[in-house]
Amino acid sequence: MGKQLVIALGGNALGSTPEEQQKAVLVAAGHIVGLVRDGYKIVIVHGNGPQVGLIHLAFELARNEDQKVPVMPFAECAAMSQGYIGFHLQNALQNTFFSHGMTTHVSTAITQTIVDIEDPAFQHPTKPVGVFYSEAEAKRIAAAQGYQFIEDSGRGFRRVVPSPEPIDIKEKGTIRCLMENGDVVIACGGGGIPVYRKDGKLHGIDAVIDKDKGAARLAELIQADALIVLTAVSQVAINFGKPQQRWLGRITTAEAEQYSREGHFAPGSMLPKIEAAVHFVKAAPGHKAIITSLENAYKAVTEEEGTIITA
Ligand code: ADP
Ligand code: MG
């Protein structure tokens, strides 16, 4: 496999409080250090759903107490989440490299992802963010604030915001430069801060970009050799959670699209990963996308584990 990897880190690599996150990123760093030592050049794209939701919620609660607290737009909350998660990841990777006697540098790039303001996603919010509520609480907040909620995989109700397609990544050149320089780069966190073009300028907008799709677009734009999506399962399955469940080892983009049409992948969790994988492999034929668990990061790259998606 080629040497330049974009690694998408799922929510299980982060935990849900600052203390949990600090511990979780150390574990994640431990699973990535072997690849860095082997000479792979790596960009890490992390999720931020729970974190950006909490940051947004904190400002809302504070504003309920004191109207002088400003409304904090989603783009700014995304930027804060990139700084917060970037700090922990950067720190954990640096400490891990130190303890292995490595001098590898780590940098975090605040990243803006350009979306199309005409994207139909703005009419149909789909992306769950923030904490889980009971149905009654969700209905109360929906009535009071005008937010939309959905039931999220049997775990409770969550607010949903628009999730437009990532078109371009403003900092792609900087990210590529840092990666070629040998830095491990943390970039495009949460899929990137959503911005749109108007009058020759970029403006933030209330939306969140799917981190797996952001990672796939970044991998395409910087011409990475592979996209590695690390999540909570070691392989993708068809008939997931059913008696006839079957784990997938190696599939083509055509098979992945067929299974997607047949509804094997849950929207909002596995489906965006499959779409991201298919997008990247189609944009970069001959290159691979692999979906596996954090623990299998190294074995994914050596193709011993995971679900490998090829042209
Ligand atoms: P992440 O935070 O890594 O993005 P998600 O919860 O969004 O994690 O998505 C991964 C989850 O998708 C898995 O843990 C699994 O429960 C679920 N999932 C849904 N459909 C499938 C499938 N067909 N095969 C494997 N996992 C699936
Ligand atoms: Mg997800």
Side-chain angles (χ1 to χ4, degrees), residues 11-253:
N12 64 322
L14 299 175
S16 49
T17 65
E19 293 76 21
E20 267 181 40
Q21 182 170 288
Q22 210 156 16
K23 285 194 190 126
V25 291
L26 255 184
V27 174
H31 291 300
I32 290 168
V33 63
L35 293 170
V36 179
R37 183 176 249 175
D38 282 6
Y40 287 95
K41 294 189 169 172
I42 292 173
V43 180
I44 297 173
V45 175
H46 58 77
N48 76 342
Q51 295 80 3
V52 77
L54 267 179
I55 292 167
H56 197 247
L57 178 71
F59 277 99
E60 272 175 8
L61 293 177
R63 195 173 145 76
N64 286 344
E65 293 293 314
D66 178 356
Q67 289 295 307
K68 287 201 285 292
V69 173
V71 169
M72 194 55 68
F74 240 89
E76 277 72 3
C77 293
M80 289 184 205
S81 78
Q82 286 187 351
Y84 160 51
I85 301 167
F87 158 50
H88 275 178
L89 264 175
Q90 186 169 318
N91 180 269
L93 286 161
Q94 282 162 339
N95 286 340
T96 302
F97 296 154
F98 280 143
S99 67
H100 284 76
M102 294 158 64
T103 55
T104 313
H105 293 282
V106 189
S107 47
T108 302
I110 295 292
T111 311
Q112 301 169 91
T113 297
I114 302 168
V115 301
D116 178 1
I117 193 67
E118 304 295 342
D119 191 311
F122 285 104
Q123 309 308 322
H124 304 282
T126 54
K127 180 73 185 166
V129 290
V131 294
F132 291 91
Y133 292 100
S134 70
E135 185 168 7
E137 281 175 304
K139 281 188 171 152
R140 185 182 57 75
I141 301 168
Q145 313 261 21
Y147 294 166
Q148 285 181 262
F149 286 84
I150 59 152
E151 206 284 319
D152 190 356
S153 318
R155 294 173 291 185
F157 283 75
R158 286 174 98 187
R159 186 182 168 193
V160 280
V161 296
S163 187
E165 293 298 315
I167 307 287
D168 198 1
I169 291 167
K170 185 70 189 80
E171 290 76 17
K172 63 191 173 206
T174 310
I175 294 165
R176 170 121 202 145
C177 243
L178 287 166
M179 184 178 68
E180 281 173 354
N181 187 52
D183 282 32
V184 171
V185 191
I186 298 149
C188 210
I193 303 162
V195 296
Y196 70 103
R197 271 184 214 287
K198 192 181 160 214
D199 305 328
K201 295 196 176 84
L202 295 175
H203 306 266
I205 185 159
D206 259 1
V208 297
I209 294 159
D210 180 82
K211 70 116 187 351
D212 298 310
K213 290 188 181 177
R217 180 65 85 183
L218 179 65
E220 174 197 350
L221 291 169
I222 67 173
Q223 296 170 304
D225 295 301
L227 172 68
I228 313 291
V229 179
L230 301 180
T231 184
V233 286
S234 56
Q235 283 185 321
V236 180
I238 51 171
N239 296 308
F240 182 66
K242 295 180 189 156
Q244 55 300 25
Q245 170 175 296
R246 183 162 70 81
W247 299 107
L248 301 170
R250 195 177 271 272
I251 54 172
T252 63
T253 53

